Amino acid sequence: MLKKIETKTFDVVVVGAGITGIYQVYVLRNMGFTVQGYEGGEDVGGTWYWNRYPGCRLDTESYAYGYFALTGIIPEWKWSERFAGQPEMLRYVNHAADRMDVRRSYQFSTRVVRADWNDSTNMWDLELSDQGRVSCRYLISAVGPLSATRMPNIAGIERFEGESFHTSRWPRDPDDPRGARKIDFAGKRVGVIGTGATGVQIIPIVARTAAELFVFQRSPNWCTPLGNHPISDQEMEKLQAAYEEILAFVKSTPTAFPYNRHPKKASETTAEERQALFESLYSMPGYGIWLSGYRDVLLSRTSNGYLAEFIAGKIRQRVKDPVIAGKLIPRDHPFGTKRVPMETNYYETYNRPNVHLVDVRETPITCVTPRGLQVGSKHYDLDIIIYATGFDAVTGSFDQIDIRGKDGLSLKETWQDGPLTYLGLQTRGFPNFFTLVGPHNGATFCNVGVCGALQVEWVSEMLGYMREHDLTYSEASHVAQEDWTRQVYEDFSRTLLTEADAWWIKVKVHPDGTRERRALVHVSGGPEYREICDEVAADGYAGFELH
Ligand code: FAD
Ligand code: NAP
């Protein structure tokens, strides 16, 4: 006789136990909703759980990223560094999860693999990786913009006989589930593929001990100094006392980083003024050089060119070999149109005799062999290969779930030419499905610690409003979705961001072969985004069909 499988039912299912997901569980549970979370990893942490590679750390100031402290969940937390490393970040998220007591609401090591909207019950029916099935009124994804690992499409990867790792699936310490396995590079020939923010963090560390390090670079990035330093107890006390002001300030800036744009355009300044500003920003810790520069840096090629030339000059000063320096200077995108990797001795690393830059733009990697990498006619013998090749960003984690809305509509197909959303929070045809820090969403091109939390609070209020008004169904209206999607593309198209293949764009290839870069994110700034969301809420959630 077949055993009857029982389907559990919840008000809300939250997918993901990163900083966003666990806060969403906490807030809704406190409001009296029945909430169940699912997480593919064995524990909380998301980004900070998965990315255990040596050198992984924040590029946002720790105290400004920590929404838990800002909202009073763990105000006692003392940051040890201005830009916390991954081990500290993971401890922090774990501590917050303890404080919020969220683990009891999660099932770990379990992925949501399919979600079907059920028209007869007005609920979502979910299928889990452990064969379990559950139903929920509201489905909230907190699957992360940078959580679907991307391996490169290179033949022979599985044939390599040495050790190989993707940075976001770095092995764990077998004796400590929260630690990373220590990989000894001493005496080894190591290859790193990828020079994005991750590659730029790991390369200088591997270089210190590896016998030989080969960096396989396809595109150089504009990298600027991180300037990390310890935070003393006195400094921490001052920061803690100022948390309210810090939160107010980051909420007022476009990206929720603690930086505001310079009031002037570069065209309103002299060469001497520009040099002085760039020098002072370059010597400051953090993203000032990107986010406090002239306000037209991402709008005017001339303004951008001044800063790019300044950074190129720094690269030429720091790298002794002019040919290598030349290869490290980007030519294919303006400064700041990809996320700027923050570096610590990255450029000086190329002055070391054991470090070799291999230009795989000139000659692409042909294949992985059992003993290393074949690049054109040259073979590189390697003991370890590190894939720092990034993520299938923003939509990748959604694509891994078979999400079917009304009439079996597939989310993946609906978004195949670029996402269609309202506020980056819902897609028509997928009622009661909210996408935190998702595509076209103001929290994704932002300091996620803060912007993700603010979004959690907004969605929670909407669910509270619906409950109060006996409403159980919400769906983005056709018009609201069209307007939002058009606005996101138009805002993006006015910036220089259209000139780079950053992770936040999707390339649409038209039938005539032309390539169009479409935004995966909302780039008009957090304050503007939240103002719109607040107006929508004040107007009874205008743009959503509610009943
Ligand atoms: P995540 O932390 O990505 O968590 C999503 C979780 O969902 C993951 O644990 C994943 O396993 C789970 N999941 C996905 N799909 C499923 C499924 N189908 N079923 C079950 N579980 C699922 N942002 C900043 O603002 N500042 C920084 O300094 C910064 N540094 C970063 C450094 C690195 C190395 C990376 C990769 C990203 C960084 N980011 C930074 C962006 C970062 O992703 C966010 O800051 C933030 O951690 C995202 O949190 P999240 O909870 O939204 O998503
Ligand atoms: P990424 O920026 O997408 O970089 C991936 C790198 O791999 C690129 O250099 C890419 O080259 C290269 N690559 C991919 N496939 C390749 C192939 N087949 N052959 C050769 N090279 C290949 O990914 P990431 O470095 O992991 O960073 C992603 C984002 O995560 C960052 O932008 C940032 O938002 C976040 N992050 C933040 C920090 C931090 O400092 N806090 C650290 C790490 C990550 P192309 O550019 O030519 O495609």
Side-chain angles (χ1 to χ4, degrees):
M1 201 175 77
L2 279 176
K3 202 171 143 206
K4 190 166 179 291
I5 300 171
E6 199 186 318
T7 304
K8 286 190 193 143
T9 300
F10 303 96
D11 294 332
V12 185
V13 162
V14 175
V15 192
I19 50 159
T20 310
I22 61 172
Y23 188 51
Q24 182 65 87
V25 165
Y26 172 74
V27 174
L28 287 176
R29 214 178 53 189
N30 283 352
M31 289 169 70
F33 288 99
T34 58
V35 188
Q36 177 64 43
Y38 294 100
E39 165 56 55
E42 285 179 20
D43 205 346
V44 300
T47 290
W48 308 108
Y49 167 93
W50 293 108
N51 291 268
R52 298 174 193 223
Y53 61 86
C56 180
R57 65 176 60 250
L58 278 173
D59 58 15
T60 311
E61 278 72 0
S62 319
Y63 54 85
Y65 181 89
Y67 73 82
F68 304 114
L70 294 174
T71 51
I73 291 171
I74 45 172
E76 74 280 11
W77 188 268
K78 291 193 190 314
W79 293 104
S80 70
E81 291 177 282
R82 182 168 181 134
F83 302 96
Q86 177 273 335
E88 183 169 7
M89 287 307 298
L90 188 57
R91 284 198 301 278
Y92 178 74
V93 184
N94 270 283
H95 187 58
D98 292 343
R99 272 281 192 276
M100 295 190 281
D101 187 21
V102 287
R103 282 195 187 78
R104 66 184 164 89
S105 295
Y106 271 96
Q107 185 173 319
F108 292 99
S109 305
T110 307
R111 293 185 62 79
V112 173
V113 293
R114 186 176 168 119
D116 289 274
W117 173 254
N118 185 329
D119 252 329
S120 56
T121 57
N122 271 3
M123 309 265 285
W124 283 95
D125 295 333
L126 309 185
E127 242 179 76
L128 308 172
S129 54
D130 68 354
Q131 318 292 319
R133 281 165 196 274
V134 295
S135 294
C136 57
R137 174 76 59 210
Y138 300 103
L139 176 60
I140 303 186
S141 79
V143 293
L146 294 162
S147 71
T149 297
R150 187 180 59 193
M151 281 296 281
N153 188 12
I154 306 173
I157 286 178
E158 67 297 339
R159 288 163 56 206
F160 184 59
E161 287 171 3
E163 285 201 288
S164 61
F165 315 99
H166 189 284
T167 45
S168 81
R169 291 294 179 271
W170 201 262
R172 287 190 290 158
D173 181 343
D175 301 321
D176 170 13
R178 291 194 186 158
R181 201 179 111 205
K182 201 141 179 54
I183 309 292
D184 188 4
F185 301 113
K188 303 272 171 54
R189 292 160 305 184
V190 184
V192 175
I193 304 176
T195 48
T198 299
V200 165
Q201 283 185 330
I202 197 171
I203 285 165
I205 293 178
V206 176
R208 279 190 223 144
T209 52
E212 303 281 339
L213 169 62
F214 297 91
V215 178
F216 297 90
Q217 174 189 269
R218 189 163 67 183
S219 318
N221 274 297
W222 296 106
C223 310
T224 58
L226 179 68
N228 190 27
H229 58 77
I231 295 184
S232 67
D233 286 349
Q234 295 92 310
E235 215 181 326
M236 196 59 231
E237 267 168 39
K238 278 195 199 148
L239 287 167
Q240 280 170 320
Y243 269 158
E244 265 179 45
E245 279 161 59
I246 294 171
L247 179 59
F249 177 53
V250 297
K251 277 166 76 173
S252 75
T253 71
T255 54
F257 277 73
Y259 302 98
N260 243 335
R261 283 238 165 274
H262 196 281
K264 281 187 180 172
K265 291 181 178 174
S267 56
E268 297 162 359
T269 60
T270 63
E272 291 71 33
E273 268 180 73
R274 288 194 294 273
Q275 183 69 16
L277 178 72
F278 295 157
E279 283 290 359
S280 78
L281 294 176
Y282 194 78
S283 61
M284 270 169 45
Y287 265 143
I289 189 81
W290 190 19
L291 304 175
S292 294
Y294 296 114
R295 68 184 163 89
D296 55 352
V297 70
L298 291 180
L299 299 171
S300 147
R301 282 224 183 90
T302 311
S303 172
N304 196 287
Y306 293 140
L307 181 53
E309 197 35 54
F310 172 85
I311 306 285
K314 289 289 179 195
I315 299 172
R316 286 190 208 99
Q317 274 169 22
R318 291 173 60 186
V319 179
K320 285 188 189 144
D321 180 336
V323 176
I324 300 292
K327 285 185 185 296
L328 290 166
I329 297 172
R331 318 258 168 218
D332 64 344
H333 66 279
F335 177 84
T337 54
K338 292 185 182 181
R339 177 100 168 193
V340 174
M342 303 294 285
E343 48 86 22
T344 306
N345 294 327
Y346 177 65
Y347 290 114
E348 287 73 13
T349 298
Y350 292 96
N351 298 331
R352 299 177 67 108
N354 65 331
V355 177
H356 317 283
L357 184 66
V358 183
D359 184 343
V360 295
R361 168 76 64 201
E362 250 168 36
T363 313
I365 299 169
T366 318
C367 61
V368 180
T369 72
R371 289 186 304 105
L373 285 177
Q374 187 72 38
V375 180
S377 58
K378 194 163 166 40
H379 188 270
Y380 293 87
D381 289 343
L382 300 171
D383 303 303
I384 297 175
I385 300 179
I386 297 172
Y387 296 97
T389 47
F391 302 89
D392 184 357
V394 189
T395 49
S397 290
F398 293 93
D399 289 349
Q400 291 178 359
I401 311 173
D402 191 359
I403 302 172
R404 304 273 165 175
K406 284 159 85 175
D407 303 320
L409 189 67
S410 147
L411 186 71
K412 190 173 174 180
E413 283 167 24
T414 305
W415 284 357
Q416 68 184 348
D417 285 339
L420 302 167
T421 77
Y422 178 42
L423 303 178
L425 278 171
Q426 248 195 32
T427 294
R428 185 160 178 79
F430 299 83
N432 290 358
F433 175 43
F434 293 89
T435 53
L436 302 173
V437 198
H440 291 184
N441 175 308
T444 311
F445 196 64
C446 217
N447 164 11
V448 180
V450 167
C451 297
L454 295 172
Q455 186 149 80
V456 161
E457 290 166 7
W458 191 90
V459 168
S460 305
E461 275 171 30
M462 177 164 168
L463 266 47
Y465 171 93
M466 289 178 67
R467 183 173 60 182
E468 212 177 292
H469 292 80
D470 282 331
L471 302 164
T472 54
Y473 180 98
S474 65
E475 184 180 6
S477 79
H478 181 69
V479 174
Q481 174 165 295
E482 291 258 296
D483 285 352
W484 181 257
T485 304
R486 193 186 52 249
Q487 195 62 50
V488 166
Y489 287 142
E490 276 175 17
D491 291 351
F492 188 74
S493 71
R494 280 193 290 274
T495 70
L496 297 177
L497 295 168
T498 53
E499 297 189 17
D501 287 323
W503 59 255
W504 51 69
I505 64 110
K506 179 184 179 91
V507 176
K508 156 106 180 121
V509 182
H510 291 282
D512 64 358
T514 50
R515 289 170 92 248
E516 186 194 340
R517 292 192 179 102
R518 293 192 163 176
L520 289 175
V521 290
H522 169 273
V523 297
S524 304
E528 184 184 308
Y529 176 77
R530 287 190 298 274
E531 201 179 303
I532 295 169
C533 289
D534 289 347
E535 281 166 13
V536 165
D539 211 2
Y541 297 91
F544 290 97
E545 292 167 4
L546 303 180
H547 53 79

